[in-house]
């Protein structure tokens, strides 16, 4: 039995229409180095043998490591109540859960999620979520193009390099111009950015904390962007907003970010949760769905999809986004997580992360040969250190000692072979940090 309804004649007709000789031609756009002719798949196995095989493969992962990795995804504690509530059948099994006549509970959850995100970022409007932080940032750029009708974007080199790669990939066939300004000393290069802000600039993209862990106040840069008629887009780490200046207070026009840290587990690439907030004046250019509160003919409060300029509802070329699903279940987890913590709890969480990082900074920079990678490096829970040797080698050595030591920056910044990015959440104890510091010193 085949897995699709097409016959061999259908296949041949399709390939002829595409002017291809074989199915391999469909994958010609993938670089040869990324292609494979062997997926190492076994023939069909009984369930018990397949379970044993998968368990064996899963056992090859090092799941016991003490985690100091960050770079956009973080090892936070998730209260059991998040799984228990998000796993209720009325939420967990729902598909397209936003028909108002049958899904008032889900719509209310999305409405409250939107409320949480606007309060967290100090902005006016939130959509009902996007795929992940990188997707949200790309959608923010598309939004800036629709608002300004300009085609040029400035991106600070401190924006997550994964996001920057996604932006280039998504827009490879679009008429956009991206200009990156390398970070100087781990911070946004203000003179370079101000010089490049012109009447052709649609938006300036910044990140806080940036990829090196550095905190900044971008109020001046966003004001400069506004003076040039451009928008200020800021990608943020939502847990940090418990104690740092919000992007709304800096004057940002659009705020995006990855909300995995709000009750979603690390899971080798997702599903994660992108969020986006903006100002009311831009709401009609916002992608995705928005849920609003309303009253029916009898005066009863209810919830309904309010804005959704999507391809199902208007002409495709007029749609603000062709993303075909939101991340309702992931957004629900973020809502439950934020509700459990509350405003005070989120601040306590952020302070705990920052305190652990400050303690680790003192311990690690006391190791002979280890020094801060940048001067004037103000950080939240993540920072970059320069090691006396290759950072990737140190990371490999520390895996054998039970630590995921961090992210060697040379993967994205080739001139930073000795620099290591490390993150510290509330899950890390002083004992773990002390043991890690001793292990790092021994490994160098």
């Amino acid at each position: 039995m085949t897995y699709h309804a097409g016959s061999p004649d259908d296949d041949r007709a399709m390939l002829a229409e595409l002017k291809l000789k074989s199915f391999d031609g469909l994958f010609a756009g993938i670089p040869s180095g990324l292609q494979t002719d062997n997926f190492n798949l076994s023939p069909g196995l009984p369930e018990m043998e397949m379970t044993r095989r998968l368990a064996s493969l899963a056992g090859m992962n090092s799941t016991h490591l003490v985690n100091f990795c960050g770079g956009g995804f973080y090892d936070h504690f998730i209260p059991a109540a998040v799984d228990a509530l998000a796993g209720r059948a009325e939420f967990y099994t729902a598909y397209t859960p936003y028909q108002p006549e049958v899904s008032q509970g889900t719509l209310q959850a999305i409405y409250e999620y939107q409320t949480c995100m606007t309060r967290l970022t100090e902005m006016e409007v939130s959509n009902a979520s996007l795929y992940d932080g990188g997707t949200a940032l790309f959608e923010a750029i598309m939004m800036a193009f629709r608002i300004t009708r300009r085609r040029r974007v400035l991106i600070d080199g401190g924006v997550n390099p994964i996001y920057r790669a996604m932006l280039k990939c998504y827009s490879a066939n679009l008429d956009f111009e991206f200009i990156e300004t390398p970070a100087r000393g781990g911070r946004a290069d203000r003179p370079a950015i101000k010089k490049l802000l012109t009447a052709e600039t649609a938006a300036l993209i910044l990140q806080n904390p940036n990829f090196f862990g550095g905190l900044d106040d971008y109020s001046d840069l966003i004001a400069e962007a506004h003076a040039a008629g451009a928008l200020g887009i800021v990608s943020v780490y939502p847990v940090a907003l418990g104690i740092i200046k919000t992007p709304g207070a800096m004057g940002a026009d659009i705020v995006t970010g990855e909300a995995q840290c709000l009750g979603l587990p690390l899971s080798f690439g997702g599903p994660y949760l992108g969020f986006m907030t903006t100002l009311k004046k831009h709401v009609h250019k916002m992608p995705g769905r928005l849920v609003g509160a309303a009253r029916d003919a009898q005066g009863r409060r209810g919830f309904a999809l309010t804005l959704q300029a999507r391809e199902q509802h208007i002409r495709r070329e007029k749609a603000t986004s062709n993303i075909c699903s939101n991340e309702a279940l992931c957004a629900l987890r973020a809502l439950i997580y934020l509700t459990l913590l509350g405003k005070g709890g989120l601040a306590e969480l952020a302070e705990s992360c920052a305190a652990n990082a400050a303690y680790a900074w003192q311990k690690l920079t006391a190791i002979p040969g280890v020094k801060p990678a940048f001067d004037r490096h103000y950080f939240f829970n993540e920072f970059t250190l320069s090691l006396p040797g290759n950072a990737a080698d140190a990371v490999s050595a520390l895996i054998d000692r039970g630590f995921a030591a961090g992210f060697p920056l040379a993967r994205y910044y080739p001139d930073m072979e000795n620099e290591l990015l490390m993150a510290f959440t509330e899950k890390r104890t002083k004992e773990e940090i002390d043991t890690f510091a001793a292990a790092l010193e021994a490994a160098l």
Side-chain angles (χ1 to χ4, degrees):
M1 179 178 177
T2 60
Y3 284 97
H4 64 88
S7 69
D9 288 340
D10 293 333
D11 294 344
R12 283 190 287 272
M14 180 192 72
L15 292 173
E17 181 68 22
L18 297 173
K19 296 180 173 54
L20 297 175
K21 294 181 179 179
S22 69
F23 280 100
D24 291 340
L26 296 172
F27 305 103
I30 301 174
S32 58
L34 300 177
Q35 294 188 28
T36 180
D37 56 1
N38 179 16
F39 289 99
N40 197 26
L41 294 175
S42 304
L45 295 174
E47 181 179 349
M48 186 176 69
E49 292 183 36
M50 179 56 75
T51 301
R52 185 181 297 128
R53 170 66 175 154
L54 292 177
S56 173
L57 292 173
M60 297 171 69
N61 292 317
S62 296
T63 57
H64 63 288
L65 302 177
V66 180
N67 191 351
F68 296 100
C69 295
F73 306 95
Y74 300 92
D75 183 26
H76 287 287
F77 177 76
I78 301 174
V82 175
D83 286 335
L85 295 174
R88 289 178 62 92
E90 55 267 46
F91 292 126
Y92 202 74
T93 63
Y95 178 68
T96 57
Y98 17 75
Q99 281 71 26
E101 66 278 14
V102 296
S103 302
Q104 279 296 297
T106 295
L107 287 166
Q108 181 174 349
I110 294 175
Y111 178 83
E112 293 181 0
Y113 160 82
Q114 293 172 179
T115 303
C116 283
M117 300 316 294
T118 54
R119 290 180 179 175
L120 191 61
T121 57
E122 211 169 345
M123 299 295 282
E124 296 175 340
V125 184
S126 166
N127 69 10
S129 76
L130 294 162
Y131 288 145
D132 55 31
T135 303
L137 192 55
F138 172 74
E139 293 288 347
I141 291 176
M142 296 294 291
M143 192 173 155
F145 288 149
R146 289 192 290 269
I147 294 169
T148 65
R149 298 183 182 277
R150 300 175 180 178
R151 316 301 292 179
R152 179 181 296 169
V153 174
L154 296 185
I155 309 175
D156 173 44
V159 173
N160 192 320
I162 299 174
Y163 292 177
R164 284 185 276 135
M166 291 174 69
L167 300 183
K168 292 175 182 175
C169 178
Y170 282 7
S171 60
N173 296 316
L174 300 176
D175 181 25
F176 298 158
E177 180 185 6
F178 289 106
I179 299 177
E180 290 190 15
T181 56
R184 185 183 296 276
R187 304 183 69 202
D189 188 340
R190 282 170 159 73
I193 290 174
K194 292 176 181 177
K195 187 176 180 180
L196 289 168
L197 282 168
T198 68
E200 286 74 43
T201 307
L204 168 64
I205 302 177
L206 303 158
Q207 180 174 313
N208 195 40
N210 68 13
F211 188 70
F212 306 108
L215 285 171
D216 208 337
D217 183 346
Y218 293 129
S219 301
D220 60 327
L221 287 176
I222 293 173
E224 289 280 347
H226 289 166
L231 302 185
I233 301 173
V234 183
S235 177
V236 295
Y237 176 12
V239 170
L241 298 181
I243 54 174
I244 70 171
K245 186 175 182 178
T246 66
M250 296 181 193
D253 298 276
I254 306 172
V255 180
T256 66
E258 171 57 61
Q260 172 272 325
C261 55
L262 303 179
L264 277 71
L266 294 168
S267 54
F268 290 102
Y272 289 145
L273 175 65
F275 66 87
M276 175 188 286
T277 58
T278 187
L279 304 173
K280 284 183 181 177
K281 63 182 179 181
H282 300 318
V283 68
H284 289 282
K285 304 298 183 183
M286 196 177 205
R289 301 178 174 90
L290 281 76
V291 173
R295 294 193 179 277
D296 65 10
Q298 299 175 5
R300 295 174 300 187
R301 189 179 188 231
F303 301 89
L305 287 176
T306 304
L307 291 173
Q308 44 179 343
R310 293 159 51 78
E311 76 277 13
Q312 300 101 319
H313 310 103
I314 60 176
R315 285 185 298 169
R316 185 180 183 88
E317 66 273 17
K318 296 291 185 181
T320 53
S321 172
N322 289 317
I323 285 181
C324 295
S325 179
N326 66 18
E327 298 279 292
L329 189 63
C330 297
L332 176 67
R333 292 183 65 93
L335 169 64
I336 296 170
Y337 182 87
L338 288 170
T339 304
L340 289 170
L341 264 64
K343 185 177 181 180
L346 184 67
E348 289 181 17
L349 168 65
E351 288 168 354
S352 175
C353 295
N356 276 345
Y359 179 77
W361 175 272
Q362 292 180 349
K363 296 291 294 188
L364 297 174
T365 54
I367 298 173
V370 176
K371 57 184 180 180
F374 311 110
D375 295 331
R376 299 179 60 219
H377 189 76
Y378 304 104
F379 56 85
F380 166 55
N381 73 330
E382 193 168 20
F383 52 73
T384 304
L385 293 181
S386 288
L387 307 184
N390 186 284
D393 292 342
V395 169
S396 296
L398 286 165
I399 287 176
D400 295 333
R401 298 170 186 263
F403 297 101
F407 188 87
L409 288 182
R411 179 172 179 180
Y412 293 115
Y413 301 88
D415 60 339
M416 303 182 77
E417 289 187 350
N418 291 357
E419 276 64 41
L420 183 64
L421 180 68
M422 285 168 280
F424 302 85
T425 69
E426 78 285 0
K427 288 179 67 175
R428 300 287 71 86
T429 65
K430 286 189 175 179
E431 291 74 19
E432 287 176 334
I433 294 170
D434 290 344
T435 308
F436 171 65
L440 176 62
E441 184 171 6
L444 295 176

